[in-house]
Amino acid sequence: MDKKVALITGASRGIGNTISIGLAQKGYQTILLARSKEQMEFVASEIGFIKNALKPEIHQIDVLDFQTVQELILNIELNHGTIDILVNNAGIYIDGSVKHKTEDYQHLLNVNLVAPYNILNAVVPIMKKQKCGYIFNIASRAGKIGLPNSGSYCSSKFGLVGLNESLYKDLADYNVKVTAICPSWVNTNMAFKAGATVPGEEMIQTKDIMETINLLLKLSPHASVKEIVIDVKSRIA
């Protein structure tokens, strides 16, 4: 099939919203996964204004519904014949290092690490079989540098960055690229809920994440980038 397919989780808002629209602009058949159908429909309406864009496919789903997610991915391959891009973007934040109940920490790990693993578990065999593809794991600068009062979140993102690095090496011989994108504060609602003290206009913008993906997609087949850390300029030390 000539049509290229991009699967985006957490597609209803923030970074996922912008990436969904950006990939639609590049001609991809976008497949949007999120819990909010209403917000995904808003993203779909935005894509509808893009000239020649393919109508997005939306799926209201909780990434913690592991079996349903895997069944959905298998159906995507069956219906479309390919998954060319995966953007593992869904995630949550809780503050503190060891202040929460264990079950709250387990929920954080389930969303930020186990759910991406579950999706990769279904998508990687598809990309290995087709011998092409690109996986973008939206991690965080907090997956590279431990931050005060954020140990719980940092540990979940450190885990994702570690998984990313192994897959980067595992899939190289299959012509599948894997990159972790690790931004500092991004101008999203989640950043402010996490206690960001940087004004929104001084943060990384969601369009910066999409421009990073654009750059990576333009690289030659033999150029591979394991991870990219994006800092807020005013916080570089």
Side-chain angles (χ1 to χ4, degrees):
M1 294 184 180
D2 294 329
K3 179 174 63 178
K4 290 191 174 183
V5 174
L7 173 63
I8 306 103
T9 71
S12 62
R13 65 182 75 187
I15 293 171
N17 177 321
T18 300
I19 291 174
S20 298
I21 293 171
L23 290 175
Q25 288 173 328
K26 293 179 71 66
Y28 284 85
Q29 168 66 66
T30 52
I31 300 178
L32 283 51
L33 272 62
R35 288 180 298 173
S36 173
K37 183 178 180 181
E38 181 180 359
Q39 288 175 318
M40 280 192 293
E41 287 175 342
F42 177 77
V43 178
S45 69
E46 291 290 300
I47 292 173
F49 289 110
I50 301 170
K51 185 178 180 180
N52 297 326
L54 297 170
K55 183 179 179 181
E57 185 177 308
I58 64 174
H59 295 276
Q60 183 180 18
I61 196 167
D62 188 335
V63 292
L64 296 184
D65 188 348
F66 299 138
Q67 182 175 346
T68 301
V69 168
Q70 288 221 349
E71 290 172 354
L72 172 61
I73 290 169
L74 292 176
N75 282 329
I76 291 169
E77 183 197 17
L78 182 65
N79 294 333
H80 296 281
T82 181
I83 297 177
D84 299 282
I85 289 179
L86 166 65
V87 182
N88 252 331
N89 171 66
I92 60 172
Y93 175 86
I94 61 172
D95 65 344
S97 295
V98 291
K99 79 176 198 177
H100 293 282
K101 293 181 180 179
T102 302
E103 50 264 38
D104 294 331
Y105 178 60
Q106 183 66 62
H107 178 70
L108 174 78
L109 289 180
N110 283 342
V111 176
N112 289 0
L113 185 55
V114 181
Y117 173 88
N118 183 61
I119 292 165
L120 289 163
N121 184 255
V123 170
V124 165
I126 295 169
M127 290 188 173
K128 287 174 72 172
K129 181 173 61 178
Q130 66 195 23
K131 295 192 181 302
C132 65
Y134 210 134
I135 295 168
F136 296 99
N137 291 308
I138 308 301
S140 171
R141 186 174 181 272
K144 298 295 296 178
I145 301 170
L147 302 174
N149 196 40
S150 297
S152 296
Y153 180 73
C154 288
S155 64
S156 70
K157 291 299 186 178
F158 263 77
L160 183 59
V161 170
L163 177 58
N164 181 90
E165 182 163 347
S166 291
L167 285 175
Y168 169 83
K169 297 173 181 178
D170 292 342
L171 299 180
D173 289 341
Y174 293 91
N175 195 35
V176 176
K177 294 185 179 184
V178 183
T179 301
I181 299 178
C182 305
S184 181
W185 293 117
V186 181
N187 188 11
T188 62
N189 288 336
M190 191 170 87
F192 291 103
K193 288 180 181 178
T197 56
V198 183
E201 64 272 15
E202 294 181 15
M203 292 183 183
I204 299 159
Q205 303 303 309
T206 58
K207 67 180 181 180
D208 295 319
I209 310 301
M210 185 61 222
E211 287 302 323
T212 301
I213 289 176
N214 276 332
L215 172 65
L216 293 167
L217 290 173
K218 290 177 183 177
L219 295 179
S220 68
H222 299 291
S224 190
V225 178
K226 178 179 68 178
E227 61 194 31
I228 291 182
V229 176
I230 309 172
D231 276 309
V232 172
K233 187 176 69 172
S234 63
R235 293 302 177 94
I236 294 174

